[in-house]
Amino acid sequence: MPRARAVFVTANFESNLEQLREFLVGAGAAAAFDHLVARLSSHLVPNLQAFPALGADFLARAPLSVDGAAMFEKLVKSAGTDSQVRQWIEGDYIVLYLVRGQSVYLLSIKHHRQLSFDLPGHWP
C-alpha cells in the first residue's frame, strides 16, 4: 500500500475559506460553513492522502476566454512540469489542488455560486 501523502493548506486556500465563510454567513447559511470544514477534514484530506489523483486533471482542458487562457498559462508555469493540478468537486464546492511528489497542496476552494451571486458587484 502506498505511503500516505502530506496535505498542505496554502495561504490562498485559507483566504478562500474566509471568503466562503463570509459568503455563507451573508446568505444565512453559517451552519453550511461548519459542515464544509468538517467534511474537508473528515473526507477530502484523507482521500487525497491516499488517492491524490482522485480529482479531474485541471490542465487537460484549456479555457476558451482570453483572460482565462492567461490565468491558465500562469498556473501551468507556476505548477512546473513535475506537478499535477487537479480539481475536485465536493458538494457545492470546487477545490483546486496540486500534487507534487509525495505532497498535496490545497490551492483554492470556491462555492459554485460565489461569483454569480453578486452580479451587480462584479458588473456595475
Side-chain angles (χ1 to χ4, degrees), residues 15-91:
S15 176
N16 288 168
L17 277 178
E18 179 57 28
Q19 292 169 6
L20 261 173
R21 187 191 65 74
E22 292 172 8
F23 172 75
L24 292 170
V25 167
F33 181 76
D34 295 334
H35 178 72
L36 168 64
V37 171
R39 184 86 175 143
L40 290 174
S41 63
S42 70
H43 181 71
L44 182 64
V45 169
N47 279 326
L48 291 179
Q49 287 174 322
F51 310 105
L54 195 59
D57 181 358
F58 184 75
L59 302 180
R61 294 177 295 164
L64 300 176
S65 72
V66 173
D67 290 340
M71 291 170 58
F72 184 84
E73 288 303 317
K74 184 178 176 182
L75 178 61
V76 168
K77 191 175 191 177
S78 296
T81 57
D82 61 337
S83 301
Q84 299 175 24
V85 179
R86 305 193 76 80
Q87 174 182 306
W88 176 254
I89 298 174
E90 180 69 29

Side-chain angles (χ1 to χ4, degrees), residues 12 17 23 34 44 53-54 57 80 90-92 98 106 109 115-116 118:
N12 187 69
L17 277 178
F23 172 75
D34 295 334
L44 182 64
L54 195 59
D57 181 358
E90 180 69 29
D92 290 333
L98 179 117
L106 300 177
I109 184 169
L115 291 177
S116 62
D118 182 23

